[in-house]
Amino acid sequence: MLDKLLQCYNIGIMKSYSLATSPIYPGHAPIDAARAVTALAALAQPSRLAIFRALVEHAPGGLTPGELSARHDIAPATLSFHLKELANAGLVTDRREGRRIRYCADLASMNALVGYLVDHCCRSAGRVTAAACPPECAPATHPPTPTRKRTSP
């Protein structure tokens, strides 16, 4: 009986601390499971992940398609397809600058996605904030990945 009460209490805590009121990323728009799956599916392709990471690296200014194409050695049509997929997932925005288009990572969407993934971290152990999590729950830091260029055979 006590286990059942504890389970109901934990479920109530998890519902009351949804992403909309998340202490991890306050002020960001809530994200639902369907939107999270769409964003993760868009990032599940190596080229799109590399493009998104480059846009995050150059945030908030972003990059033009020409800069992205040269940096990642991707054909323009392929790059256009990948940017469209990232934009449809809500991870990338674009803005026109005269005759050019500049693509930028949508940092609010990225933070909402990360917040969705870690929102309930350590809740089963009775912790209700991210600050109460043990050090092994902290995100790992990684050095920047060097840009790789294709070499012709």
PDB file of all heavy atoms in Angstrom, residues 96-127:
ATOM      1  N   ARG A  96      15.985  36.352 -44.815  1.00  0.00           N
ATOM      2  CA  ARG A  96      16.504  36.867 -46.077  1.00  0.00           C
ATOM      3  C   ARG A  96      17.333  38.112 -45.816  1.00  0.00           C
ATOM      4  O   ARG A  96      16.932  38.997 -45.082  1.00  0.00           O
ATOM      5  CB  ARG A  96      15.350  37.172 -47.025  1.00  0.00           C
ATOM      6  CG  ARG A  96      15.815  37.511 -48.418  1.00  0.00           C
ATOM      7  CD  ARG A  96      14.705  37.429 -49.417  1.00  0.00           C
ATOM      8  NE  ARG A  96      14.343  36.087 -49.831  1.00  0.00           N
ATOM      9  CZ  ARG A  96      15.062  35.327 -50.655  1.00  0.00           C
ATOM     10  NH1 ARG A  96      16.224  35.740 -51.095  1.00  0.00           N
ATOM     11  NH2 ARG A  96      14.632  34.146 -51.010  1.00  0.00           N
ATOM     12  N   GLU A  97      18.504  38.144 -46.417  1.00  0.00           N
ATOM     13  CA  GLU A  97      19.395  39.311 -46.365  1.00  0.00           C
ATOM     14  C   GLU A  97      19.696  39.716 -47.799  1.00  0.00           C
ATOM     15  O   GLU A  97      20.648  39.218 -48.397  1.00  0.00           O
ATOM     16  CB  GLU A  97      20.691  38.961 -45.638  1.00  0.00           C
ATOM     17  CG  GLU A  97      20.513  38.642 -44.173  1.00  0.00           C
ATOM     18  CD  GLU A  97      21.816  38.241 -43.500  1.00  0.00           C
ATOM     19  OE1 GLU A  97      22.806  37.932 -44.209  1.00  0.00           O
ATOM     20  OE2 GLU A  97      21.847  38.214 -42.267  1.00  0.00           O
ATOM     21  N   GLY A  98      18.871  40.572 -48.342  1.00  0.00           N
ATOM     22  CA  GLY A  98      19.040  40.943 -49.742  1.00  0.00           C
ATOM     23  C   GLY A  98      18.760  39.747 -50.637  1.00  0.00           C
ATOM     24  O   GLY A  98      17.668  39.197 -50.629  1.00  0.00           O
ATOM     25  N   ARG A  99      19.758  39.306 -51.363  1.00  0.00           N
ATOM     26  CA  ARG A  99      19.598  38.155 -52.248  1.00  0.00           C
ATOM     27  C   ARG A  99      20.004  36.845 -51.595  1.00  0.00           C
ATOM     28  O   ARG A  99      19.890  35.789 -52.197  1.00  0.00           O
ATOM     29  CB  ARG A  99      20.438  38.378 -53.513  1.00  0.00           C
ATOM     30  CG  ARG A  99      19.969  39.588 -54.304  1.00  0.00           C
ATOM     31  CD  ARG A  99      20.773  39.792 -55.526  1.00  0.00           C
ATOM     32  NE  ARG A  99      20.455  38.735 -56.490  1.00  0.00           N
ATOM     33  CZ  ARG A  99      21.019  38.613 -57.659  1.00  0.00           C
ATOM     34  NH1 ARG A  99      21.950  39.476 -58.033  1.00  0.00           N
ATOM     35  NH2 ARG A  99      20.687  37.638 -58.466  1.00  0.00           N
ATOM     36  N   ARG A 100      20.501  36.924 -50.383  1.00  0.00           N
ATOM     37  CA  ARG A 100      20.955  35.711 -49.687  1.00  0.00           C
ATOM     38  C   ARG A 100      19.978  35.315 -48.587  1.00  0.00           C
ATOM     39  O   ARG A 100      19.239  36.142 -48.076  1.00  0.00           O
ATOM     40  CB  ARG A 100      22.334  35.941 -49.063  1.00  0.00           C
ATOM     41  CG  ARG A 100      23.443  36.088 -50.090  1.00  0.00           C
ATOM     42  CD  ARG A 100      24.771  36.049 -49.439  1.00  0.00           C
ATOM     43  NE  ARG A 100      24.992  37.292 -48.675  1.00  0.00           N
ATOM     44  CZ  ARG A 100      26.073  37.536 -47.991  1.00  0.00           C
ATOM     45  NH1 ARG A 100      27.036  36.651 -47.930  1.00  0.00           N
ATOM     46  NH2 ARG A 100      26.196  38.662 -47.341  1.00  0.00           N
ATOM     47  N   ILE A 101      20.047  34.042 -48.226  1.00  0.00           N
ATOM     48  CA  ILE A 101      19.280  33.521 -47.098  1.00  0.00           C
ATOM     49  C   ILE A 101      20.283  33.057 -46.049  1.00  0.00           C
ATOM     50  O   ILE A 101      21.261  32.387 -46.369  1.00  0.00           O
ATOM     51  CB  ILE A 101      18.379  32.342 -47.522  1.00  0.00           C
ATOM     52  CG1 ILE A 101      17.357  32.802 -48.555  1.00  0.00           C
ATOM     53  CG2 ILE A 101      17.680  31.745 -46.314  1.00  0.00           C
ATOM     54  CD1 ILE A 101      16.523  31.687 -49.129  1.00  0.00           C
ATOM     55  N   ARG A 102      20.051  33.456 -44.826  1.00  0.00           N
ATOM     56  CA  ARG A 102      20.910  33.043 -43.722  1.00  0.00           C
ATOM     57  C   ARG A 102      20.119  32.107 -42.823  1.00  0.00           C
ATOM     58  O   ARG A 102      19.010  32.430 -42.400  1.00  0.00           O
ATOM     59  CB  ARG A 102      21.393  34.262 -42.930  1.00  0.00           C
ATOM     60  CG  ARG A 102      22.377  33.910 -41.829  1.00  0.00           C
ATOM     61  CD  ARG A 102      23.097  35.132 -41.319  1.00  0.00           C
ATOM     62  NE  ARG A 102      23.955  35.753 -42.298  1.00  0.00           N
ATOM     63  CZ  ARG A 102      25.219  35.397 -42.539  1.00  0.00           C
ATOM     64  NH1 ARG A 102      25.758  34.404 -41.869  1.00  0.00           N
ATOM     65  NH2 ARG A 102      25.936  36.036 -43.435  1.00  0.00           N
ATOM     66  N   TYR A 103      20.683  30.937 -42.560  1.00  0.00           N
ATOM     67  CA  TYR A 103      20.046  29.944 -41.703  1.00  0.00           C
ATOM     68  C   TYR A 103      20.651  30.014 -40.308  1.00  0.00           C
ATOM     69  O   TYR A 103      21.861  30.156 -40.154  1.00  0.00           O
ATOM     70  CB  TYR A 103      20.221  28.537 -42.286  1.00  0.00           C
ATOM     71  CG  TYR A 103      19.392  28.321 -43.519  1.00  0.00           C
ATOM     72  CD1 TYR A 103      19.898  28.617 -44.773  1.00  0.00           C
ATOM     73  CD2 TYR A 103      18.086  27.848 -43.423  1.00  0.00           C
ATOM     74  CE1 TYR A 103      19.132  28.436 -45.915  1.00  0.00           C
ATOM     75  CE2 TYR A 103      17.322  27.668 -44.556  1.00  0.00           C
ATOM     76  CZ  TYR A 103      17.847  27.967 -45.799  1.00  0.00           C
ATOM     77  OH  TYR A 103      17.077  27.789 -46.917  1.00  0.00           O
ATOM     78  N   CYS A 104      19.779  29.924 -39.310  1.00  0.00           N
ATOM     79  CA  CYS A 104      20.207  30.001 -37.913  1.00  0.00           C
ATOM     80  C   CYS A 104      19.573  28.854 -37.121  1.00  0.00           C
ATOM     81  O   CYS A 104      18.438  28.461 -37.390  1.00  0.00           O
ATOM     82  CB  CYS A 104      19.747  31.315 -37.279  1.00  0.00           C
ATOM     83  SG  CYS A 104      20.300  32.780 -38.150  1.00  0.00           S
ATOM     84  N   ALA A 105      20.306  28.356 -36.154  1.00  0.00           N
ATOM     85  CA  ALA A 105      19.749  27.359 -35.246  1.00  0.00           C
ATOM     86  C   ALA A 105      18.732  28.043 -34.352  1.00  0.00           C
ATOM     87  O   ALA A 105      18.962  29.151 -33.872  1.00  0.00           O
ATOM     88  CB  ALA A 105      20.858  26.727 -34.411  1.00  0.00           C
ATOM     89  N   ASP A 106      17.606  27.421 -34.145  1.00  0.00           N
ATOM     90  CA  ASP A 106      16.594  27.940 -33.228  1.00  0.00           C
ATOM     91  C   ASP A 106      16.976  27.453 -31.830  1.00  0.00           C
ATOM     92  O   ASP A 106      16.661  26.338 -31.434  1.00  0.00           O
ATOM     93  CB  ASP A 106      15.208  27.443 -33.629  1.00  0.00           C
ATOM     94  CG  ASP A 106      14.102  28.093 -32.817  1.00  0.00           C
ATOM     95  OD1 ASP A 106      14.377  28.537 -31.675  1.00  0.00           O
ATOM     96  OD2 ASP A 106      12.966  28.134 -33.323  1.00  0.00           O
ATOM     97  N   LEU A 107      17.691  28.300 -31.108  1.00  0.00           N
ATOM     98  CA  LEU A 107      18.231  27.903 -29.806  1.00  0.00           C
ATOM     99  C   LEU A 107      17.141  27.648 -28.781  1.00  0.00           C
ATOM    100  O   LEU A 107      17.290  26.780 -27.914  1.00  0.00           O
ATOM    101  CB  LEU A 107      19.218  28.954 -29.309  1.00  0.00           C
ATOM    102  CG  LEU A 107      20.437  29.177 -30.221  1.00  0.00           C
ATOM    103  CD1 LEU A 107      21.329  30.261 -29.646  1.00  0.00           C
ATOM    104  CD2 LEU A 107      21.204  27.900 -30.427  1.00  0.00           C
ATOM    105  N   ALA A 108      16.022  28.363 -28.884  1.00  0.00           N
ATOM    106  CA  ALA A 108      14.920  28.123 -27.948  1.00  0.00           C
ATOM    107  C   ALA A 108      14.348  26.721 -28.144  1.00  0.00           C
ATOM    108  O   ALA A 108      14.075  26.012 -27.175  1.00  0.00           O
ATOM    109  CB  ALA A 108      13.833  29.181 -28.125  1.00  0.00           C
ATOM    110  N   SER A 109      14.201  26.304 -29.400  1.00  0.00           N
ATOM    111  CA  SER A 109      13.704  24.943 -29.669  1.00  0.00           C
ATOM    112  C   SER A 109      14.712  23.900 -29.216  1.00  0.00           C
ATOM    113  O   SER A 109      14.338  22.856 -28.673  1.00  0.00           O
ATOM    114  CB  SER A 109      13.420  24.764 -31.157  1.00  0.00           C
ATOM    115  OG  SER A 109      12.315  25.515 -31.541  1.00  0.00           O
ATOM    116  N   MET A 110      15.995  24.171 -29.450  1.00  0.00           N
ATOM    117  CA  MET A 110      17.033  23.233 -29.021  1.00  0.00           C
ATOM    118  C   MET A 110      17.004  23.078 -27.497  1.00  0.00           C
ATOM    119  O   MET A 110      17.045  21.965 -26.977  1.00  0.00           O
ATOM    120  CB  MET A 110      18.413  23.716 -29.469  1.00  0.00           C
ATOM    121  CG  MET A 110      19.551  22.811 -29.027  1.00  0.00           C
ATOM    122  SD  MET A 110      21.179  23.522 -29.287  1.00  0.00           S
ATOM    123  CE  MET A 110      21.219  24.805 -28.057  1.00  0.00           C
ATOM    124  N   ASN A 111      16.907  24.201 -26.783  1.00  0.00           N
ATOM    125  CA  ASN A 111      16.872  24.145 -25.325  1.00  0.00           C
ATOM    126  C   ASN A 111      15.601  23.470 -24.817  1.00  0.00           C
ATOM    127  O   ASN A 111      15.642  22.746 -23.821  1.00  0.00           O
ATOM    128  CB  ASN A 111      17.018  25.542 -24.732  1.00  0.00           C
ATOM    129  CG  ASN A 111      18.436  26.055 -24.851  1.00  0.00           C
ATOM    130  OD1 ASN A 111      19.376  25.277 -24.904  1.00  0.00           O
ATOM    131  ND2 ASN A 111      18.578  27.363 -24.907  1.00  0.00           N
ATOM    132  N   ALA A 112      14.478  23.683 -25.502  1.00  0.00           N
ATOM    133  CA  ALA A 112      13.243  23.013 -25.113  1.00  0.00           C
ATOM    134  C   ALA A 112      13.368  21.506 -25.308  1.00  0.00           C
ATOM    135  O   ALA A 112      12.892  20.724 -24.481  1.00  0.00           O
ATOM    136  CB  ALA A 112      12.069  23.559 -25.917  1.00  0.00           C
ATOM    137  N   LEU A 113      14.030  21.084 -26.390  1.00  0.00           N
ATOM    138  CA  LEU A 113      14.228  19.658 -26.631  1.00  0.00           C
ATOM    139  C   LEU A 113      15.120  19.039 -25.558  1.00  0.00           C
ATOM    140  O   LEU A 113      14.804  17.990 -24.995  1.00  0.00           O
ATOM    141  CB  LEU A 113      14.834  19.425 -28.016  1.00  0.00           C
ATOM    142  CG  LEU A 113      15.166  17.986 -28.387  1.00  0.00           C
ATOM    143  CD1 LEU A 113      13.911  17.121 -28.387  1.00  0.00           C
ATOM    144  CD2 LEU A 113      15.858  17.940 -29.735  1.00  0.00           C
ATOM    145  N   VAL A 114      16.212  19.705 -25.247  1.00  0.00           N
ATOM    146  CA  VAL A 114      17.099  19.205 -24.189  1.00  0.00           C
ATOM    147  C   VAL A 114      16.355  19.186 -22.855  1.00  0.00           C
ATOM    148  O   VAL A 114      16.450  18.225 -22.092  1.00  0.00           O
ATOM    149  CB  VAL A 114      18.394  20.054 -24.111  1.00  0.00           C
ATOM    150  CG1 VAL A 114      19.210  19.691 -22.887  1.00  0.00           C
ATOM    151  CG2 VAL A 114      19.212  19.885 -25.373  1.00  0.00           C
ATOM    152  N   GLY A 115      15.593  20.226 -22.590  1.00  0.00           N
ATOM    153  CA  GLY A 115      14.807  20.270 -21.362  1.00  0.00           C
ATOM    154  C   GLY A 115      13.802  19.138 -21.288  1.00  0.00           C
ATOM    155  O   GLY A 115      13.613  18.528 -20.241  1.00  0.00           O
ATOM    156  N   TYR A 116      13.174  18.826 -22.415  1.00  0.00           N
ATOM    157  CA  TYR A 116      12.217  17.712 -22.457  1.00  0.00           C
ATOM    158  C   TYR A 116      12.910  16.395 -22.127  1.00  0.00           C
ATOM    159  O   TYR A 116      12.371  15.560 -21.416  1.00  0.00           O
ATOM    160  CB  TYR A 116      11.566  17.643 -23.837  1.00  0.00           C
ATOM    161  CG  TYR A 116      10.621  16.482 -23.999  1.00  0.00           C
ATOM    162  CD1 TYR A 116       9.315  16.578 -23.538  1.00  0.00           C
ATOM    163  CD2 TYR A 116      11.032  15.297 -24.590  1.00  0.00           C
ATOM    164  CE1 TYR A 116       8.432  15.522 -23.661  1.00  0.00           C
ATOM    165  CE2 TYR A 116      10.159  14.234 -24.719  1.00  0.00           C
ATOM    166  CZ  TYR A 116       8.864  14.344 -24.256  1.00  0.00           C
ATOM    167  OH  TYR A 116       8.013  13.284 -24.378  1.00  0.00           O
ATOM    168  N   LEU A 117      14.123  16.215 -22.648  1.00  0.00           N
ATOM    169  CA  LEU A 117      14.846  14.965 -22.439  1.00  0.00           C
ATOM    170  C   LEU A 117      15.301  14.784 -20.989  1.00  0.00           C
ATOM    171  O   LEU A 117      15.360  13.675 -20.488  1.00  0.00           O
ATOM    172  CB  LEU A 117      16.056  14.881 -23.374  1.00  0.00           C
ATOM    173  CG  LEU A 117      15.720  14.778 -24.857  1.00  0.00           C
ATOM    174  CD1 LEU A 117      16.995  14.882 -25.689  1.00  0.00           C
ATOM    175  CD2 LEU A 117      14.987  13.488 -25.158  1.00  0.00           C
ATOM    176  N   VAL A 118      15.633  15.869 -20.317  1.00  0.00           N
ATOM    177  CA  VAL A 118      16.172  15.754 -18.955  1.00  0.00           C
ATOM    178  C   VAL A 118      15.210  16.264 -17.880  1.00  0.00           C
ATOM    179  O   VAL A 118      15.566  16.312 -16.709  1.00  0.00           O
ATOM    180  CB  VAL A 118      17.530  16.492 -18.820  1.00  0.00           C
ATOM    181  CG1 VAL A 118      18.542  15.924 -19.771  1.00  0.00           C
ATOM    182  CG2 VAL A 118      17.369  17.980 -19.015  1.00  0.00           C
ATOM    183  N   ASP A 119      13.994  16.603 -18.269  1.00  0.00           N
ATOM    184  CA  ASP A 119      13.048  17.231 -17.347  1.00  0.00           C
ATOM    185  C   ASP A 119      12.784  16.404 -16.097  1.00  0.00           C
ATOM    186  O   ASP A 119      12.621  16.936 -15.019  1.00  0.00           O
ATOM    187  CB  ASP A 119      11.739  17.518 -18.081  1.00  0.00           C
ATOM    188  CG  ASP A 119      10.837  18.455 -17.312  1.00  0.00           C
ATOM    189  OD1 ASP A 119      11.368  19.329 -16.600  1.00  0.00           O
ATOM    190  OD2 ASP A 119       9.621  18.308 -17.416  1.00  0.00           O
ATOM    191  N   HIS A 120      12.723  15.099 -16.228  1.00  0.00           N
ATOM    192  CA  HIS A 120      12.383  14.264 -15.078  1.00  0.00           C
ATOM    193  C   HIS A 120      13.585  13.498 -14.542  1.00  0.00           C
ATOM    194  O   HIS A 120      13.426  12.483 -13.867  1.00  0.00           O
ATOM    195  CB  HIS A 120      11.253  13.301 -15.444  1.00  0.00           C
ATOM    196  CG  HIS A 120       9.995  14.008 -15.810  1.00  0.00           C
ATOM    197  ND1 HIS A 120       9.261  14.723 -14.899  1.00  0.00           N
ATOM    198  CD2 HIS A 120       9.366  14.160 -16.996  1.00  0.00           C
ATOM    199  CE1 HIS A 120       8.228  15.259 -15.502  1.00  0.00           C
ATOM    200  NE2 HIS A 120       8.263  14.945 -16.772  1.00  0.00           N
ATOM    201  N   CYS A 121      14.773  13.979 -14.787  1.00  0.00           N
ATOM    202  CA  CYS A 121      15.987  13.317 -14.331  1.00  0.00           C
ATOM    203  C   CYS A 121      15.970  13.168 -12.803  1.00  0.00           C
ATOM    204  O   CYS A 121      15.714  14.129 -12.081  1.00  0.00           O
ATOM    205  CB  CYS A 121      17.206  14.133 -14.767  1.00  0.00           C
ATOM    206  SG  CYS A 121      18.770  13.400 -14.291  1.00  0.00           S
ATOM    207  N   CYS A 122      16.226  11.968 -12.354  1.00  0.00           N
ATOM    208  CA  CYS A 122      16.376  11.645 -10.929  1.00  0.00           C
ATOM    209  C   CYS A 122      15.103  11.833 -10.106  1.00  0.00           C
ATOM    210  O   CYS A 122      15.161  11.865  -8.879  1.00  0.00           O
ATOM    211  CB  CYS A 122      17.509  12.458 -10.298  1.00  0.00           C
ATOM    212  SG  CYS A 122      19.101  12.153 -11.080  1.00  0.00           S
ATOM    213  N   ARG A 123      13.942  11.952 -10.739  1.00  0.00           N
ATOM    214  CA  ARG A 123      12.704  12.154  -9.981  1.00  0.00           C
ATOM    215  C   ARG A 123      12.346  10.926  -9.155  1.00  0.00           C
ATOM    216  O   ARG A 123      11.784  11.045  -8.077  1.00  0.00           O
ATOM    217  CB  ARG A 123      11.544  12.495 -10.912  1.00  0.00           C
ATOM    218  CG  ARG A 123      11.696  13.823 -11.597  1.00  0.00           C
ATOM    219  CD  ARG A 123      11.276  14.959 -10.669  1.00  0.00           C
ATOM    220  NE  ARG A 123      11.638  16.244 -11.213  1.00  0.00           N
ATOM    221  CZ  ARG A 123      10.917  16.921 -12.077  1.00  0.00           C
ATOM    222  NH1 ARG A 123       9.772  16.445 -12.485  1.00  0.00           N
ATOM    223  NH2 ARG A 123      11.337  18.083 -12.510  1.00  0.00           N
ATOM    224  N   SER A 124      12.655   9.723  -9.655  1.00  0.00           N
ATOM    225  CA  SER A 124      12.293   8.528  -8.900  1.00  0.00           C
ATOM    226  C   SER A 124      13.071   8.434  -7.593  1.00  0.00           C
ATOM    227  O   SER A 124      12.661   7.750  -6.671  1.00  0.00           O
ATOM    228  CB  SER A 124      12.523   7.267  -9.739  1.00  0.00           C
ATOM    229  OG  SER A 124      13.898   7.065  -9.953  1.00  0.00           O
ATOM    230  N   ALA A 125      14.197   9.150  -7.510  1.00  0.00           N
ATOM    231  CA  ALA A 125      14.981   9.160  -6.279  1.00  0.00           C
ATOM    232  C   ALA A 125      14.500  10.247  -5.323  1.00  0.00           C
ATOM    233  O   ALA A 125      15.128  10.498  -4.301  1.00  0.00           O
ATOM    234  CB  ALA A 125      16.457   9.373  -6.609  1.00  0.00           C
ATOM    235  N   GLY A 126      13.397  10.929  -5.679  1.00  0.00           N
ATOM    236  CA  GLY A 126      12.832  11.943  -4.793  1.00  0.00           C
ATOM    237  C   GLY A 126      13.371  13.340  -5.041  1.00  0.00           C
ATOM    238  O   GLY A 126      13.026  14.268  -4.328  1.00  0.00           O
ATOM    239  N   ARG A 127      14.195  13.516  -6.060  1.00  0.00           N
ATOM    240  CA  ARG A 127      14.731  14.850  -6.352  1.00  0.00           C
ATOM    241  C   ARG A 127      13.732  15.572  -7.256  1.00  0.00           C
ATOM    242  O   ARG A 127      13.196  14.991  -8.174  1.00  0.00           O
ATOM    243  CB  ARG A 127      16.082  14.733  -7.033  1.00  0.00           C
ATOM    244  CG  ARG A 127      17.116  14.072  -6.156  1.00  0.00           C
ATOM    245  CD  ARG A 127      18.423  13.889  -6.930  1.00  0.00           C
ATOM    246  NE  ARG A 127      19.420  13.245  -6.108  1.00  0.00           N
ATOM    247  CZ  ARG A 127      19.684  11.949  -6.153  1.00  0.00           C
ATOM    248  NH1 ARG A 127      19.032  11.167  -6.973  1.00  0.00           N
ATOM    249  NH2 ARG A 127      20.601  11.429  -5.375  1.00  0.00           N
TER     250      ARG A 127
END
